[in-house]
Each structure stands twice: as C-alpha cells, then as structure tokens.
Amino acid sequence: MSQPTTLTSQSGPASADRPGRERWIALTVLSAAFLMIVLDTTIVSVAMPSIQADLGLSQSGLAWVVNAYLIAFGGLLLLAGRLGDLLGRPRVFMAGLTVFLAASLLGGFAHNEQLLIAARFIQGIGGALSSAVILGMIVTLFPEPRERAKAIGVYAFVGSAGASIGLVLGGVLTDLLSWNWIFFVNLPIGLLTAVFALRVLRREEGVGLGRGADVPGALLIVAALMLGVYTIVETEKHGWGSAHTLGLGAISLALLVGFVLRESRAATPLVPLRIFRVPNVSAANAVQALMIAGMFGQQFIIALFLQRVLDFSPTEVGLAMLPMAVAIGVFSLNFTARLMARFGAKAILLAGLALIVGGLVVLSRVQADASYASDLMPAMIVMGIGAGLALPAITTLAMSGATETDSGVVSGLANTTQQVGAALGLAVLATFSGTRTETLVREGESAAVALTSGYQLAFGIAAGLAAAGLVLAALLVRSAAGDVVAENAPAGESDAVADAARSGEVVIADDAARSGEVVIADDAARSGEAVAADDAARSAEGRVGEARQIVHA
C-alpha cells in the first residue's frame, strides 16, 4: 500500500492566479539578483592581486577576503530559507538585497584589510538572505511542472554561467578601472532589481515566527555550518589530518548532532525534520553536493592551469571559460525542460552526470604543452552540456516535494549543499593538487610539469566525485513529479494518464493507477480530506491538473 505523500503547489496568491507575463517578469528580477550574488563569488578572485598590492594585505588576510564571505554565506543559507517561510520570502529577499548593496558600497570604499574583510562578511549575510529564498519563490511562482522546469533551467543557467561571467567581468573592471569597481558594479544592478522587485513581487505574510521561532536551534545550525565551512576552507593551510582540522570538524559535527536532537524535540522546530522524509530531498541533496564539488572545483583548476601553465591573462581566462557557459545556457534554457518532460528528471540527471565524468576524465590526461582549442575546449563543452542537463534536473528533484509552507527551507537546504559541496570540493582538489606539485618540484621537475601533474590529479579526483554522484543518483534518486507512468494502466484510465503525461502535472503511482486507491496528501491528511487518484484519472471533472503532484512511495 502506498504511503501518504505530498500534494504541492495549491493555487494561491503567490502563484497560480498571477498572469503568466507577470510571473516571467518576476523570474527575470529574481535571476538578476541571483546573478549579482553568483558573480560576487568569482569576480573577487580575479582582482585579488590588485587588492593585495593596493591595501598591502598579507597572504592570510587576502585569503580572508574570500573566506569571510564563504563562511557567512554558507552558514546562514538554511536559516535564511526558513526565515523566508516564517516572515514571507519577498520580505527576506528585499532585506538581503539591501544588506548586500550596503556591504558592496562599504567594500568599494574600503581602505584597509579590516574594513574589506568586514564588508565581505556582511556581503555574505546579505547574499544568504536573498539567494536562500529565490528558488523557493520560483517554485511557488510556477506551479505547473513544465513551466517550473523552464524556470529552474533559467535559475540553473544563471548559477553556473555566472561564475564564468564573473571571471571575465572581474578582469575587465580591474584592468580598465580599479579593483574597487568589482564592488561598485553591484549598485546599479541591485538598485534596478530592487525597484522592479517592489513592483512585481507580491507580498507574502509567511506562516509567522510562532510556527518556527526556535532560537536555540538557529544558534546551533548557524554555528555548525559556519564552523564547518571555516574548517574546510582552512584545510589548505593546516592540512586534513591536523589537530586544527580534526578538532574543529568534530565540534562542528557535534553542533550539527545537537541541532538535529533539538529539532526532533522542539514544539516549533526551525527546520521540520519531516522534510528529510520527503522523497528525493536527502538523496538529491547528497548527489548535488558531490556533483557541485567536482564541477566547481574543476572550474577553479582549469582557470589555474590556463593562467599558470598556458600563461593566459585574467581576461583571457574568463573568455576561455565562456564556451562551457554557453553550452550550459543552450541546454538548460532550450532543451532540458523538454527532455525531462519526455524521459523524466532522473534519466536526464544520469545522462548529464555521465557527460561531466567523461569530460573530467579527458582533462585528467592534459599535458603541459596542451592546446586550448584542441585539448581543453572540447572537454569543457562536453562538461557544459552535461551541466546544462544535470543542474536543472537535480534542482527539480531536490525541490519536487516542496510545499507552499516549506519551500523556503527546502530551497535553503539545496543552496547549503551547493555551497558546502563547492567549498569541500575546492579544498580537496587544491590540497591534493598542491601536495603533488610540491613533491615533484622537490624531486627536480620543472614548474610546468609539476603544476600539470597536480592539476591532472585534481581533475581525476573531480571525476571521481562526479562518478560517486552518478552511482548515488542511479541507486537512490527516484523519479520526480512530472514522470508519469502510463504503462499498465487500465484501458479506461490510459487516456487520462496520457493527458497528464503531456501536461506534466501529475504523477500516478503504478498501484494507484491499477486499483484507484486513495492517496492522501500531507495537507489533505491534516485536514481530513483525501484525493482520489482513480477519479482524477477517469473523469475530466476530476481535473488532473488540480492534483499537481502525487508521488508514490
């Protein structure tokens, strides 16, 4: 017998009753804000040498210009997502945008190390508040699965291609103006986004702080995540087996365990643990962490290889990354949604991960005298195609069980796994690559050969991470909403199921299609109402579209 599952996307003031044009304008506004935040993660890296020379930063101080942002951003994403559910997602989005812009202004005028690091930490807070609720708003803005898939494709493209655009923009601004402009450029983008956001994002009250104002839980999860991110980003300095890494890692894990225990007993938990029982939430986030660890890390390693071995300038590095960004955009914006509607999100995810693994394996054999056009670009395009398929698919799967009342925290969880995966992947690849290079240099190898060997190892490790994600996805991820099983349905039901498959609006479990058993949605179960899958399948008056998502266990 099928277990109770989730009915999502009830038409409400924030979603289905909004005109289509207005919803797509809202998506454009959200995407602009997300692009600005994503750009900030890479645009700073290109300007680091100029910042160090101008402000006289030490090497550790320079590292903290990046780490301060990552710690605040990664540590607050989950809390920020839940605040969106409690206080209203547009309200939290606007608060985060305001904080981010104020910090950008402060960073642009920073005249010493301390002020710049403080500005970056505040930027991380603002970025977390805004970006944590963006995906949740997209899910509620687009309740129809086909439209939602297209919208998530835009979101995935902005998130992945924004990093490459940041490399180009950072090089151009630093070369033509000064490093200060990598912060000032956020102001016109952010102000325009804020103006349009006030016009198109409708007000949401949220469920209220009384439904999840768990202060001890908030302190535990923020401390656990911030300490965990700090521990990861400092591994290059202290090493993985050092007392510093192991000790702080153990404390972070203990805080996380304390958070889980607290949430399991709290009357109004900050993060309801039931979301981890929703199909695909745990599995999809684990796969996403492994995939992002490999993908984000390899972008960093490719940039280093181009700059330190092939002697590319910062601007040339950014331009060299564009073919992969274009491939991601072409597939995520034009093909992935249609392919998911036909073959299912899981099948597209597996295909995308296989392409990513293949591209990384090719890069793991790159030589010091490699040609960008023949040795790197083809593999990068293959990985771009893979990412264009996999990123929208994994996002769809991770959000497939989100409801109107918890889409913020599910979105925050997805963003948190992305950031932790990126930080972990970068730390692992940089550490092992650096160790291999140092060993070869001590043995008398040339700098180019030693660097290339280190980067080969890094690409191989990235391929292993992506391959682990592929295996995990094949074993644990289940088909998402919109994957309709029409086979074996009785003759009287097959037409209705086929219509549902074409519209991508409902998932009918095999056993429900055969026996017409009643599937109780989470919300319906609480109110004593039931959704009859058999009636929805047989009758046009049942309006299959109103069922939205019935996912079999």
Side-chain angles (χ1 to χ4, degrees), residues 403-488:
T403 67
E404 291 276 0
T405 58
D406 62 20
S407 64
V409 71
V410 177
S411 171
L413 177 63
N415 278 283
T416 299
T417 58
Q418 286 181 4
Q419 292 303 312
V420 172
L424 183 60
L426 183 56
V428 170
L429 267 58
T431 301
F432 283 93
S433 173
T435 301
R436 168 71 68 86
T437 297
E438 291 172 3
T439 300
L440 292 177
V441 168
R442 286 196 300 267
E443 293 175 355
E445 293 286 355
S446 67
V449 171
L451 286 168
T452 301
S453 181
Y455 298 148
Q456 287 175 337
L457 177 61
F459 288 132
I461 294 172
L465 291 170
L470 175 61
V471 172
L472 200 63
L475 295 177
L476 298 182
V477 172
R478 295 159 57 182
S479 296
D483 297 343
V484 182
V485 180
E487 293 82 7
N488 301 320

Side-chain angles (χ1 to χ4, degrees), residues 52-74:
Q52 185 175 28
D54 192 20
L55 298 183
L57 270 64
S58 62
Q59 196 62 33
S60 61
L62 191 64
W64 273 101
V65 173
V66 176
N67 294 345
Y69 181 90
L70 291 176
I71 291 169
F73 190 79

Side-chain angles (χ1 to χ4, degrees), residues 86-164:
L86 300 177
L87 301 175
R89 287 175 284 273
R91 183 180 299 169
V92 172
F93 171 79
M94 290 302 299
L97 190 60
T98 302
V99 172
F100 188 86
L101 292 179
S104 297
L105 187 63
L106 180 64
F109 284 116
H111 55 80
N112 58 46
E113 176 180 325
Q114 293 75 22
L115 191 59
L116 182 59
I117 292 174
R120 290 289 287 162
F121 188 85
I122 299 170
Q123 262 193 321
I125 295 174
L129 288 170
S130 290
S131 63
V133 297
I134 287 175
L135 185 56
M137 284 193 283
I138 290 174
V139 168
T140 55
L141 278 169
F142 296 93
E144 305 301 325
R146 283 189 298 180
E147 284 194 334
R148 180 185 293 181
K150 293 177 183 177
I152 287 177
V154 174
Y155 171 87
F157 167 68
V158 170
S160 55
S164 298

Side-chain angles (χ1 to χ4, degrees), residues 312-378:
F312 279 35
S313 70
T315 301
E316 287 173 332
V317 170
L319 292 173
M321 302 295 284
L322 285 181
M324 183 162 60
V326 170
I328 293 172
V330 168
F331 275 80
S332 63
L333 298 177
N334 295 294
F335 299 113
T336 304
R338 282 180 284 176
L339 290 172
M340 285 196 295
R342 181 170 182 179
F343 299 106
K346 179 178 179 178
I348 301 306
L349 171 63
L350 296 177
L353 284 169
L355 289 173
I356 292 170
V357 172
L360 287 168
V361 169
V362 172
L363 288 179
S364 70
R365 302 174 63 84
V366 70
Q367 300 299 315
D369 59 350
S371 164
Y372 167 75
S374 60
D375 297 322
L376 277 82
M377 188 171 68

